[in-house]
Amino acid sequence: MSSDAIAIRAAEVGGRPWVEALHDWITTVDHKRLGILYILFALLFLLIGGLEAIVIRIQLMRPHNDFVSPQVFNRMFTMHGTTMIFFVIMPFMFGFANYLVPLMIGARDMAFPRLNAFSFWLTAFGGFLLYFSFLGGSGLYGAGSAPDVGWWAYAPLTSRAFSPGHSADYWTIAVLVSGFGSIGTATNIIATILSMRCPGMTLGRMPLMGWMTLVMSGLVLISISPLSAAQIMLLVDRYLGGHFFDTQAEGPRRCGCIFSGSSGTRKFTSW
């Protein structure tokens, strides 16, 4: 190959547009790049969650502090707790797992590369959707309002009577979407470890971090799956008239009614 051809090829590589590089990162299914994206995503939300923690700590510095109002404090508390659990700690763990697990067990990639990328973008979409509540939490015709139900979101605080507007809906959908992403990533990690180890890499010879990742993924499936089901039930309560978390209707116990009697009286029989 002539020196001119080498110079032309080097110029093509060096002058690659940043748009193409960005496209490669957005559409990647490589486990290393996805691991880096997970960690960068977690660092971004760590910064945001840290700022919210500072607001909380300043408010609690002394009694009767008026740094923020009680409503803003509840919003900061809700957003901080949700952010740190679902969009900092879990992405950090999944980021290191994505980058290191295939290398530790001798696999070329994760078992389901496209599912791996899809799960990451679900998690990212859930995080950005949660913070969009600052703009659209009170609807398009009002100022934004972040969710203020606490990051536990206990009933009946999540009912429409105590949480009007759409702020609780943003919280519910964000946690639900990120939960689907976490379930997909955990399933992918378990499948990779159990079925893609290189010859001679038995479970007994697997590094301790591989075992930690395997157990962590199992715990994610055990915990996030019922949490996602609870988010679906909460959406049914808020929009379809369900009674899963309706304390006045005795929760899921009262799932049907029989109306009887004259036009002026009604008799309710639950089953």
Side-chain angles (χ1 to χ4, degrees):
M1 183 180 292
S2 64
S3 59
D4 294 338
I6 295 175
I8 292 174
R9 182 165 297 180
E12 291 177 353
V13 174
R16 186 184 183 192
W18 65 269
V19 177
E20 293 184 8
L22 180 62
H23 178 268
D24 290 344
W25 278 91
I26 292 177
T27 60
T28 185
V29 294
D30 179 65
H31 72 97
K32 291 183 179 179
R33 287 191 170 187
L34 287 170
I36 294 173
L37 287 175
Y38 262 116
I39 294 174
L40 292 177
F41 172 83
L43 289 175
L44 172 63
F45 279 86
L46 177 63
L47 175 62
I48 298 173
L51 294 176
E52 293 165 348
I54 291 174
V55 174
I56 295 173
R57 298 303 187 273
I58 293 176
Q59 175 64 25
L60 297 177
M61 284 177 62
R62 59 183 179 84
H64 307 291
N65 198 356
D66 296 326
F67 181 71
V68 293
S69 65
Q71 293 78 15
V72 173
F73 182 85
N74 289 339
R75 293 167 189 164
M76 291 295 102
F77 186 82
T78 303
M79 299 294 282
H80 169 73
T82 306
T83 299
M84 296 305 293
I85 295 297
F86 296 104
F87 304 114
V88 176
I89 296 176
M90 293 179 64
F92 259 128
M93 296 190 299
F94 286 144
F96 284 110
N98 267 276
Y99 196 99
L100 296 175
V101 164
L103 301 179
M104 290 189 298
I105 65 174
R108 296 184 61 182
D109 206 325
M110 301 291 284
F112 308 107
R114 294 184 183 275
L115 176 62
N116 199 22
F118 182 66
S119 299
F120 166 74
W121 289 111
L122 278 181
T123 302
F125 177 72
F128 293 124
L129 182 64
L130 176 66
Y131 279 85
F132 185 76
S133 63
F134 280 102
L135 300 177
S138 296
L140 297 178
Y141 301 102
S145 174
D148 57 355
V149 293
W151 68 277
W152 300 283
Y154 287 143
L157 294 178
T158 52
S159 64
R160 298 190 69 88
F162 296 96
S163 182
H166 301 290
S167 58
D169 301 323
Y170 278 102
W171 182 90
T172 303
I173 297 175
V175 174
L176 178 64
V177 171
S178 66
F180 286 155
S182 300
I183 291 172
T185 303
T187 304
N188 207 351
I189 292 172
I190 293 174
T192 302
I193 292 176
L194 296 182
S195 63
M196 296 188 65
R197 300 188 309 276
C198 65
M201 176 62 71
T202 62
L203 289 175
R205 295 178 179 177
M206 192 169 62
L208 184 60
M209 184 175 179
W211 270 105
M212 183 274 294
T213 306
L214 179 62
V215 174
M216 178 268 295
S217 301
L219 293 176
V220 167
L221 291 182
I222 294 173
S223 59
I224 300 299
S225 298
L227 177 63
S228 299
Q231 305 309 314
I232 295 174
M233 289 187 284
L234 180 57
L235 288 175
V236 170
D237 276 12
R238 289 180 62 88
Y239 282 100
L240 299 179
H243 300 290
F244 291 105
F245 301 104
D246 187 356
T247 56
Q248 298 298 321
E250 301 180 10
R253 178 182 173 185
R254 187 184 296 271
C255 56
C257 299
I258 296 177
F259 297 90
S260 62
S262 61
S263 59
T265 60
R266 290 182 180 180
K267 180 181 180 181
F268 296 90
T269 304
S270 63
W271 67 89

